[in-house]
Amino acid sequence: MDSIAPSFVVNPSELADCLSALRASTPLIQCITNTVVTNFTANVLLAAGASPAMADLPGEAGDFAAIASATLVNLGTPYAEQRTGAFEAVSAANRAGTPWVLDPVAIGALKLRTEMAFKLRDLTPTVIRGNASEILVLADSGTGGRGVDATDSVGTAASHARNLALKSGAVIAVSGPQDLVTDGTRSVLVHGGSELLTQVTGGGCALGAICAAFIAVHDDAFIATVAAHAFYSAAAERAAGISNGPGSFAVNFIDALHQIDAQELKNKAVLSS
Amino acid sequence: MDSIAPSFVVNPSELADCLSALRASTPLIQCITNTVVTNFTANVLLAAGASPAMADLPGEAGDFAAIASATLVNLGTPYAEQRTGAFEAVSAANRAGTPWVLDPVAIGALKLRTEMAFKLRDLTPTVIRGNASEILVLADSGTGGRGVDATDSVGTAASHARNLALKSGAVIAVSGPQDLVTDGTRSVLVHGGSELLTQVTGGGCALGAICAAFIAVHDDAFIATVAAHAFYSAAAERAAGISNGPGSFAVNFIDALHQIDAQELKNKAVLSS
Amino acid sequence: MDSIAPSFVVNPSELADCLSALRASTPLIQCITNTVVTNFTANVLLAAGASPAMADLPGEAGDFAAIASATLVNLGTPYAEQRTGAFEAVSAANRAGTPWVLDPVAIGALKLRTEMAFKLRDLTPTVIRGNASEILVLADSGTGGRGVDATDSVGTAASHARNLALKSGAVIAVSGPQDLVTDGTRSVLVHGGSELLTQVTGGGCALGAICAAFIAVHDDAFIATVAAHAFYSAAAERAAGISNGPGSFAVNFIDALHQIDAQELKNKAVLSS
């Protein structure tokens, strides 16, 4: 892996504090996301302790972004109405100070969403989360993966992610066997998780929603994003240990997100820098 | 809780008869509902013994409402085509005598669906089902909840629900820790259920679909709606007893809807007035 | 059952080879499908070893069909944008030589999708998969079923399916208690499966996607379609044996699709002609 300098050490107690804050406040998370994963995303947020709302209609999305605790914009199936709703929500979120996450699903080969992702990148997202191929495209350094699958490694994307963070002002999260989180200055790798997450549709998309839930309750978006990833990985690892395949894993994963508390997150988080 | 006068005593055998009728006739339920819960709603209906069909397209929704056993109109994600399809379906349902359920999801703060809900309220729905905050908005007595969550209690909504029933001619069902069902004259509370239902997305929306399935097979919509709620609560309670969290609960709940028969419903229903 | 002449004997080793090829190549399957079943369909494909992508937008669907291993066009909820995207995808698929599957959900009574299905039938689909009532409509010999449920038997549809195969050049698959697969010359019945598949929404729709995954990896679309059905039935049978109802069945079915390997498929496939 390329150098992910400078290194940074996160105190596990800070991660635990983020989860405690989430559980204490039940943040209202506006999800503008794709039709494949709306159900799973909503259940992931509910299990974690947040309140999801899929308000993406033009004429409603802006009003909702102003009252939401955080907003997710995921480009998995950007139909015309949702495209309009997404920009309406982002404008309102920026005016109201609502933090928001951009998840540029499958950009590169697909024109419409790629153009949309570049416009959104320049509208000051708080966090950008994607796989290595998606992040490379947004960093003007790649042509995209294969469908929703990355064809580049997290290591290859590391220096580009750091540059993208500095240029966009967003925290960048690159998902893979280990997840890289960087704000351009601070960078950490989150270990753990399970390959089974890649065999459940929405495994990545719902992580974007969890990032939104964590940045809603903690002012330092870098720490919040690391906490979101550590929480997600800990739940995946717990679920994988008792599952027979991707079907039972998805069920156990939702249970695990509900069961893990701040103390367990503090003990289970494995980070390196 | 406000007075829910006059009280009314439902014979549990009537509830059991409704479920037997549902199982015997496999009613065809047209669901015009939101993209988050279509899958869960269809599986809930199938498990209960009904046949779901998500026919909401302009040019198709009206034809389908004329042949459906009952129609559900849920406002969770009312995209432009679906809005047109919903009104087309309601017109055809009313012409054909197809009973229909209105579920005014998250009205109040969100303009577009709130206007739509008021129009639909005045088109003689057979049943209106929602949480306390949604029902208060429709009764011209509230400003809505927080996203899809109620910020008002069932007790607060009771007298307003009764008035809304008398004014609209619909049976009104208010979901909460106990569910209130009223036609303005008769009122009962349905007990039981599980808080886990609020941690699975579509827990309320699918109840609207189950109400549609029950009014499809029984002429007294008040009794049918009470039966739908008692059946749903009994299944939730059974599932909660063997679940580790919201993931396994959702799975066990579908199984329970399939397993509960008329005799068990008769024994498990807990009503008060 | 009508005569399904001439009979044809498939070597179970050929079915096993299809599954091995699928697992070795992870085909990229473009799904243009209905909003009710996108999530289940994607999880079924992932569990089987394929990579799903729900790229159905005008402006993207054509580009994606050109790079996909196979394309599925399912008419369950054909909204305006998706209708445009579907024809764009089919044109591009035909130009690029991408095989594609047509699943004419609930045609007959519903006008818009019925017209669309006839147009698509004449655009050289590789496989057409449906229930008996849907296939009879496409063969100009029926008026459709009841919602998504067949009201005709596989036996009634057999000779019409054979004629439709000869006329359209497509392999025709008719789902039912036994599944008929025919290319007009060769015909087989695939046994096994479970009635629980009819109690999970998308049980038929996801089979269309699995057909797409198998024709993506094997040149003889008839053999590939038989293999897809045998694989699906074997997984359903395995799952049914350990399930308590349709909820747990859906979970165990996804696990089973993941667990069954070529050897098990070879041993479990039950065909007759």
Side-chain angles (χ1 to χ4, degrees):
Chain A
M1 183 168 291
D2 283 9
S3 69
I4 311 175
S7 66
F8 187 79
V9 179
V10 176
N11 182 341
S13 290
E14 287 191 276
L15 309 181
D17 291 346
C18 288
L19 182 56
S20 297
L22 196 168
R23 294 270 160 77
S25 65
T26 318
L28 182 59
I29 308 303
Q30 177 181 29
C31 297
I32 298 176
T33 191
N34 69 77
T35 55
V36 186
V37 306
T38 45
N39 186 271
F40 184 67
T41 300
N43 281 331
V44 161
L45 285 171
L46 284 166
S51 179
M54 307 287 157
D56 62 357
L57 280 177
E60 293 191 347
D63 287 350
F64 205 86
I67 61 167
S69 310
T71 293
L72 167 69
V73 180
N74 171 300
L75 304 186
T77 54
Y79 298 107
E81 277 179 289
Q82 199 185 58
R83 291 199 295 276
T84 303
F87 284 106
E88 184 182 307
V90 164
S91 293
N94 284 343
R95 275 197 305 275
T98 306
W100 64 281
V101 176
L102 171 62
D103 192 335
V105 179
I107 59 169
L110 296 168
K111 277 177 276 188
L112 209 141
R113 69 188 67 195
T114 306
E115 287 174 24
M116 191 177 171
F118 278 107
K119 284 184 193 162
L120 289 166
R121 180 194 68 179
D122 296 334
L123 292 171
T124 65
T126 314
V127 175
I128 302 174
R129 190 217 72 84
N131 65 36
S133 295
E134 293 157 351
I135 296 300
L136 282 170
V137 172
L138 268 194
D140 302 305
S141 307
T143 57
R146 177 175 176 273
V148 300
D149 300 329
T151 50
D152 302 283
S153 73
V154 175
T156 302
S159 62
H160 300 283
R162 202 170 55 225
N163 291 337
L164 178 59
L166 293 171
K167 185 177 162 187
S168 67
V171 171
I172 310 297
V174 189
S175 298
Q178 291 101 41
D179 303 321
L180 169 68
V181 180
T182 179
D183 66 359
T185 309
R186 298 172 287 177
S187 299
V188 299
L189 281 175
V190 180
H191 299 263
S194 165
E195 209 194 330
L196 279 163
L197 262 183
T198 66
Q199 295 167 12
V200 174
T201 198
C205 295
L207 175 53
I210 288 291
C211 289
F214 276 80
I215 62 173
V217 298
H218 193 81
D219 284 335
D220 184 338
F222 171 76
I223 296 293
T225 303
V226 172
H229 282 73
F231 172 61
Y232 209 73
S233 289
E237 211 164 304
R238 181 170 175 157
I242 54 171
S243 300
N244 301 314
S248 48
F249 172 76
V251 173
N252 293 325
F253 179 61
I254 299 285
D255 282 353
L257 289 167
H258 187 69
Q259 292 160 345
I260 289 178
D261 60 12
Q263 186 61 44
E264 182 170 347
L265 177 57
K266 188 178 164 184
N267 294 339
K268 293 281 176 63
V270 182
L271 311 177
S272 69
S273 51
Chain B
M1 183 171 289
D2 283 9
S3 69
I4 311 177
S7 66
F8 187 78
V9 178
V10 176
N11 182 341
S13 291
E14 287 191 277
L15 308 183
D17 291 347
C18 287
L19 182 56
S20 297
L22 196 167
R23 293 271 159 76
S25 65
T26 319
L28 183 60
I29 308 303
Q30 177 181 30
C31 298
I32 299 178
T33 190
N34 69 77
T35 56
V36 185
V37 305
T38 46
N39 186 272
F40 184 67
T41 300
N43 281 331
V44 161
L45 285 171
L46 284 165
S51 178
M54 307 288 158
D56 63 357
L57 279 176
E60 293 192 344
D63 288 349
F64 205 87
I67 61 168
S69 311
T71 293
L72 167 70
V73 179
N74 170 301
L75 303 186
T77 54
Y79 297 108
E81 276 178 290
Q82 198 185 60
R83 290 199 296 274
T84 304
F87 284 106
E88 183 183 308
V90 164
S91 293
N94 283 344
R95 276 195 305 275
T98 306
W100 64 281
V101 176
L102 171 62
D103 192 334
V105 179
I107 60 169
L110 296 168
K111 279 178 273 186
L112 209 141
R113 69 189 65 197
T114 305
E115 287 174 23
M116 191 177 172
F118 278 106
K119 284 183 193 163
L120 289 166
R121 180 194 68 180
D122 296 335
L123 291 171
T124 65
T126 315
V127 175
I128 302 173
R129 189 217 74 81
N131 64 38
S133 295
E134 293 157 351
I135 295 301
L136 282 170
V137 172
L138 269 194
D140 302 306
S141 307
T143 56
R146 177 174 175 272
V148 301
D149 300 329
T151 51
D152 301 284
S153 73
V154 174
T156 303
S159 62
H160 300 283
R162 201 170 57 229
N163 290 338
L164 178 59
L166 292 172
K167 183 177 162 187
S168 67
V171 171
I172 310 297
V174 189
S175 299
Q178 291 103 42
D179 303 321
L180 169 69
V181 181
T182 180
D183 66 359
T185 308
R186 298 173 288 178
S187 300
V188 300
L189 281 176
V190 181
H191 299 262
S194 165
E195 209 196 330
L196 279 164
L197 263 182
T198 65
Q199 294 166 14
V200 174
T201 196
C205 295
L207 175 54
I210 287 292
C211 290
F214 276 78
I215 62 172
V217 298
H218 193 80
D219 284 337
D220 184 338
F222 172 75
I223 295 294
T225 303
V226 172
H229 282 72
F231 172 61
Y232 209 73
S233 289
E237 210 163 307
R238 181 171 175 156
I242 55 170
S243 300
N244 301 313
S248 49
F249 171 76
V251 173
N252 293 325
F253 179 61
I254 299 285
D255 282 353
L257 290 167
H258 186 69
Q259 293 161 344
I260 289 178
D261 60 13
Q263 187 60 45
E264 181 170 348
L265 177 56
K266 188 177 165 184
N267 294 339
K268 293 280 178 60
V270 182
L271 310 178
S272 70
S273 50
Chain C
M1 183 169 293
D2 284 7
S3 69
I4 312 177
S7 67
F8 186 78
V9 178
V10 176
N11 182 341
S13 290
E14 288 191 275
L15 308 181
D17 290 347
C18 287
L19 182 56
S20 297
L22 196 166
R23 294 271 160 77
S25 66
T26 318
L28 183 59
I29 308 304
Q30 177 181 29
C31 298
I32 298 176
T33 192
N34 68 77
T35 55
V36 186
V37 306
T38 46
N39 186 271
F40 184 67
T41 300
N43 280 332
V44 161
L45 285 171
L46 284 165
S51 178
M54 307 287 157
D56 62 357
L57 279 177
E60 293 192 344
D63 288 349
F64 206 86
I67 61 167
S69 311
T71 294
L72 166 70
V73 180
N74 171 301
L75 305 186
T77 54
Y79 297 107
E81 277 179 290
Q82 199 185 58
R83 290 198 297 274
T84 304
F87 284 105
E88 183 183 307
V90 164
S91 294
N94 284 344
R95 276 196 305 275
T98 306
W100 64 282
V101 176
L102 171 61
D103 191 334
V105 179
I107 59 169
L110 296 168
K111 278 177 274 186
L112 209 141
R113 67 189 67 197
T114 305
E115 286 175 22
M116 191 176 173
F118 279 107
K119 285 184 192 163
L120 289 167
R121 180 193 69 179
D122 296 335
L123 291 172
T124 66
T126 314
V127 175
I128 302 173
R129 190 216 75 80
N131 64 38
S133 295
E134 293 158 351
I135 295 299
L136 282 169
V137 172
L138 269 194
D140 302 306
S141 307
T143 56
R146 177 174 175 273
V148 301
D149 300 330
T151 51
D152 302 283
S153 73
V154 174
T156 303
S159 63
H160 300 283
R162 202 169 57 227
N163 290 338
L164 178 59
L166 293 171
K167 183 177 164 189
S168 68
V171 171
I172 309 298
V174 189
S175 298
Q178 291 103 40
D179 303 321
L180 169 68
V181 180
T182 179
D183 66 0
T185 309
R186 298 173 288 178
S187 299
V188 300
L189 281 175
V190 181
H191 299 263
S194 165
E195 209 196 330
L196 278 164
L197 262 182
T198 66
Q199 294 167 14
V200 175
T201 197
C205 295
L207 175 54
I210 287 291
C211 289
F214 275 79
I215 61 172
V217 298
H218 194 79
D219 284 337
D220 185 337
F222 171 75
I223 296 294
T225 304
V226 173
H229 282 72
F231 172 61
Y232 209 73
S233 289
E237 211 164 305
R238 180 169 175 156
I242 54 171
S243 299
N244 301 315
S248 48
F249 172 77
V251 172
N252 292 326
F253 180 61
I254 299 284
D255 281 355
L257 289 167
H258 186 69
Q259 292 160 346
I260 289 177
D261 61 12
Q263 186 61 46
E264 181 169 349
L265 176 56
K266 189 178 164 184
N267 294 339
K268 294 279 177 62
V270 182
L271 310 177
S272 69
S273 49

